[in-house]
Amino acid sequence: MVRHESCMEEENTADIQALESPDYAGSVVEINVVQSVEDIGEDLTKGGKKTEVEESAVDMKDTQRTPSIEMEPESQSETQSNVLKPVKSLDEEPMREMSAAVEDEDNTSEVDLYRDAEEIEEDQLEKNGAKCVDDLIVPHDKCSICPELDMLSYSENEWRGKTAKSALIKKGYEEVYTNFSGLRRVRGDNYCAMRATLFQVLIQSKETPAWLQREDFIQLPEKLASCYDWMKQWRFTQDNENGRLVELLRGHMQLLKRKWLTVVESSSAEERQAVCEEIFRNEEEEYSLLEAVKLLMLNTAIELHNDMQLDKDVPIFCWLLFARDSSDTPSAFLSNHLNQVGFSGGLEQVEMFLLGYTLELTIRVYRLYKFETDEFLTFYPDDHKEDWPAVCLITEDDRHYNVPVQKQDTTRL
């Protein structure tokens, strides 16, 4: 054992002498060069990570990433516990049929690591601007038709991008602004086209429409249920307990007539507006009215389809409506299209014609993405522009609809 330790000491002494020798100095220089190259490589790697972090901040709305920066152990574990969420840009995706979830406040600190103060402020403005129309976060006591906004300010806020589409939409808003000063945004829950239309027609109504005064108006559910067994397919917002189809639909029809008469009996435009806003603040009643309109649309579809079977003259849109494989009959139309409205989809273009025919109303729609084309202003339907009252809607994509506010009362019914 003593001899082994002695050998070890001799070897260590030899190593020290070798390091101190002149010949070894050159090798030390060579080793330093290699280490320097490694250091450069390490710096480049770190620089790449830094670039990746910067790119992550820019592209955050498209890709989920975790922070790629060196942190203290405690801070790093805390950061990894929260997954960084993408920030949705309103420049490219303004509010639509289907709603976006509000960002979790716990993630704000992580996002702020990659943004300057100006970007954080702009993001907060975007979030605050989107809250009032989100179909899931609008409080039940808040009107589903938001208060009036300045149209041009709304356009600038929603379409801040430099893309050709953003420029086109903003030009469309500028054109609409020549006749309309404001915009009321509509809750986007796949009822928006019907909601915007019904709100417009009610707030402008001074007389009760003829179709609402028919003696058998309230009995329409019994009439349809007795004639068509497939009416059992009707999809309700609430459970259809014990087959209460007719009872529930009759309640919708009674409420629609009662509320419409209340609006007509208002003594002034201000009172009508107050009554309408109260209607669209009560979520249960509002959905009941929208379901009543859907039933009226189905009844109109049945009448038009029967006329087609008898070779009677029908509006051109009927041939398009029933030419679809998914709606070649009223039964298929109910099952595949009307039942989806308010649940998984909104009204399609051809169904906007049907809505206008049902309410005996011309729906004038400014389609902003069609600016500078013949379809920029579209009429649903287009064959009663002279003899039916009209309401105006505005859309950016044919999916979500908002309500323009006129500078002067020129379209009062």
Side-chain angles (χ1 to χ4, degrees):
M1 178 68 68
V2 173
R3 183 177 180 181
H4 177 71
E5 291 177 352
S6 176
C7 291
M8 294 281 293
E9 292 177 357
E10 291 177 359
E11 290 176 358
N12 292 337
T13 302
D15 291 341
I16 294 172
Q17 291 175 352
L19 290 173
E20 293 176 349
S21 65
D23 296 337
Y24 190 76
S27 64
V28 171
V29 173
E30 293 177 359
I31 291 174
N32 287 338
V33 171
V34 173
Q35 289 176 346
S36 176
V37 172
E38 291 176 350
D39 291 340
I40 293 174
E42 184 177 355
D43 291 341
L44 289 174
T45 303
K46 290 181 179 180
K49 290 183 179 179
K50 181 178 180 181
T51 303
E52 181 179 343
V53 172
E54 293 174 352
E55 291 176 351
S56 173
V58 174
D59 199 34
M60 196 181 310
K61 63 184 177 183
D62 295 327
T63 308
Q64 288 187 340
R65 298 178 186 267
T66 55
S68 300
I69 58 178
E70 296 183 2
M71 307 175 68
E72 294 296 329
E74 293 181 0
S75 176
Q76 185 175 6
S77 62
E78 180 181 354
T79 302
Q80 291 176 347
S81 65
N82 293 324
V83 179
L84 192 62
K85 295 185 178 180
V87 179
K88 185 174 182 180
S89 172
L90 292 179
D91 298 341
E92 299 179 0
E93 289 291 333
M95 183 191 54
R96 299 287 184 263
E97 296 297 35
M98 309 321 334
S99 59
V102 178
E103 290 290 336
D104 190 344
E105 292 181 359
D106 293 338
N107 294 319
T108 302
S109 59
E110 274 188 23
V111 176
D112 292 350
L113 290 173
Y114 307 94
R115 300 180 301 171
D116 58 27
E118 183 177 353
E119 288 176 314
I120 296 172
E121 182 179 1
E122 289 180 356
D123 182 62
Q124 291 300 320
L125 289 174
E126 289 181 357
K127 290 179 182 178
N128 294 336
K131 285 182 180 178
C132 78
V133 287
D134 194 296
D135 57 294
L136 296 179
I137 64 175
V138 172
H140 289 181
D141 61 345
K142 190 170 185 178
C143 183
S144 60
I145 311 292
C146 288
E148 180 181 350
L149 302 171
D150 179 76
M151 184 175 294
L152 294 184
S153 298
Y154 171 81
S155 170
E156 288 296 328
N157 184 63
E158 288 291 325
W159 295 92
R160 300 182 218 170
K162 304 300 182 182
T163 64
K165 182 177 180 180
S166 295
L168 182 68
I169 296 295
K170 287 191 285 189
K171 287 181 180 179
Y173 273 116
E174 291 172 0
E175 178 65 24
V176 177
Y177 187 73
T178 59
N179 294 316
F180 299 87
S181 59
L183 184 78
R184 301 192 65 169
R185 301 200 291 183
V186 178
R187 176 186 289 163
D189 59 357
N190 294 317
Y191 276 116
C192 65
M194 296 176 60
R195 175 182 287 113
T197 301
L198 184 60
F199 178 81
Q200 284 281 72
V201 68
L202 283 176
I203 206 170
Q204 298 178 12
S205 291
K206 294 181 180 180
E207 299 179 357
T208 307
W211 53 265
L212 192 66
Q213 302 179 40
R214 296 171 185 165
E215 294 181 0
D216 60 346
F217 178 80
I218 302 299
Q219 284 72 44
L220 181 61
E222 287 93 337
K223 173 185 174 182
L224 296 181
S226 63
C227 295
Y228 307 103
D229 186 63
W230 46 261
M231 278 292 297
K232 296 177 182 178
Q233 303 175 50
W234 191 276
R235 183 178 181 182
F236 288 93
T237 54
Q238 68 271 50
D239 293 334
N240 183 15
E241 300 178 358
N242 302 321
R244 296 168 54 228
L245 171 70
V246 172
E247 179 182 347
L248 291 173
L249 290 177
R250 187 194 305 115
H252 296 336
M253 301 298 285
Q254 290 173 337
L255 183 65
L256 177 63
K257 186 171 186 176
R258 184 168 66 252
K259 292 297 182 179
W260 206 303
L261 292 176
T262 300
V263 172
V264 171
E265 292 170 358
S266 300
S267 59
S268 64
E270 291 74 16
E271 184 179 348
R272 275 198 306 276
Q273 179 169 331
V275 171
C276 289
E277 292 186 353
E278 183 62 30
I279 292 174
F280 288 86
R281 188 175 288 110
N282 187 318
E283 185 174 306
E284 183 177 351
E285 288 189 350
E286 178 188 11
Y287 287 137
S288 181
L289 298 182
L290 296 172
E291 288 296 299
V293 173
K294 285 170 59 175
L295 182 63
L296 292 172
M297 290 177 65
L298 177 61
N299 184 59
T300 302
I302 292 172
E303 292 177 348
L304 293 172
H305 186 265
N306 290 340
D307 289 343
M308 290 178 63
Q309 299 298 309
L310 298 174
D311 292 330
K312 294 183 178 180
D313 292 335
V314 294
I316 295 177
F317 80 87
C318 294
W319 299 100
L320 302 175
L321 179 66
F322 297 112
R324 302 180 297 185
D325 293 337
S326 58
S327 64
D328 56 340
T329 65
S331 173
F333 171 63
L334 171 62
S335 177
N336 299 321
H337 293 273
L338 204 56
N339 267 346
Q340 312 311 316
V341 176
F343 293 90
S344 60
L347 294 181
E348 299 181 13
Q349 292 297 290
V350 68
E351 292 152 6
M352 291 291 289
F353 284 95
L354 179 63
L355 176 61
Y357 254 87
T358 298
L359 300 178
E360 296 182 1
L361 179 75
T362 298
I363 306 172
R364 302 169 59 224
V365 179
Y366 288 93
R367 305 164 72 192
L368 302 183
Y369 78 104
K370 295 286 189 180
F371 181 65
E372 295 182 334
T373 72
D374 294 339
E375 299 177 86
F376 174 60
L377 178 58
T378 303
F379 300 85
Y380 305 101
D382 57 359
D383 55 352
H384 286 276
K385 292 185 288 186
E386 303 300 329
D387 55 325
W388 280 0
V391 297
C392 284
L393 306 182
I394 189 169
T395 181
E396 298 171 351
D397 55 9
D398 285 343
R399 292 192 298 272
H400 184 79
Y401 294 82
N402 289 321
V403 174
V405 180
Q406 287 202 322
K407 295 180 178 180
Q408 298 178 350
D409 294 334
T410 58
T411 61
R412 295 286 180 186
L413 297 184

